[in-house]
Amino acid sequence: MAGYKITKKDEYYTYTAPGHLECKCTRLHDAADVDGGQIVNGLTHFLPSGGGTEMGKNPAESIYYILEGTMLFRSEDGEETVLNAGDSVHIAPNYGKSVTNIGPATAQMLVILLPPQ
């Protein structure tokens, strides 16, 4: 194992994530990719007008960064925020949230996770 891993744009893999609807989840990096690594990085493509996630909690600390499109972020207390390209949200472990593509085009969201040790 090395201290770094380069993933070219055609080297990611897809996976099915629970509670994700009308989207394509891709993994760019896993924590096991590098010595002592802890970060998981993915890119999710949400289909227009409805692709998203169910309300759920993740034990990992998370950052969502909107690369393209318009997403509606809902917190567990019901607060809603529209996120556009260039916006991000940092989520503490075990806090409920959901996202939905509310735009007319496919939205892309970079997902960075720091799983609990």
Side-chain angles (χ1 to χ4, degrees), residues 61-114:
E61 185 173 0
S62 309
I63 294 177
Y64 295 168
Y65 180 83
I66 309 304
L67 292 167
E68 293 182 13
T70 304
M71 301 290 290
L72 180 65
F73 176 85
R74 290 185 188 93
S75 64
E76 66 183 6
D77 63 4
E79 186 176 335
E80 296 184 343
T81 304
V82 174
L83 301 173
N84 294 293
D87 294 339
S88 67
V89 58
H90 185 168
I91 306 151
N94 298 309
Y95 274 77
K97 77 284 188 194
S98 70
V99 292
T100 305
N101 182 350
I102 58 172
T106 299
Q108 292 185 30
M109 184 170 74
L110 187 66
V111 179
I112 302 166
L113 305 171
L114 181 61

Side-chain angles (χ1 to χ4, degrees), residues 1-5 30-38:
M1 187 173 323
Y4 60 89
K5 180 184 179 210
D30 285 309
D33 285 344
V34 300
D35 287 331
Q38 298 177 45

Side-chain angles (χ1 to χ4, degrees), residues 19-25 44-53 101 106-107:
H20 286 59
L21 311 166
E22 298 188 50
C23 65
K24 179 180 179 182
C25 300
T44 305
H45 307 263
F46 296 96
L47 292 179
S49 301
T53 65
N101 182 350
T106 299

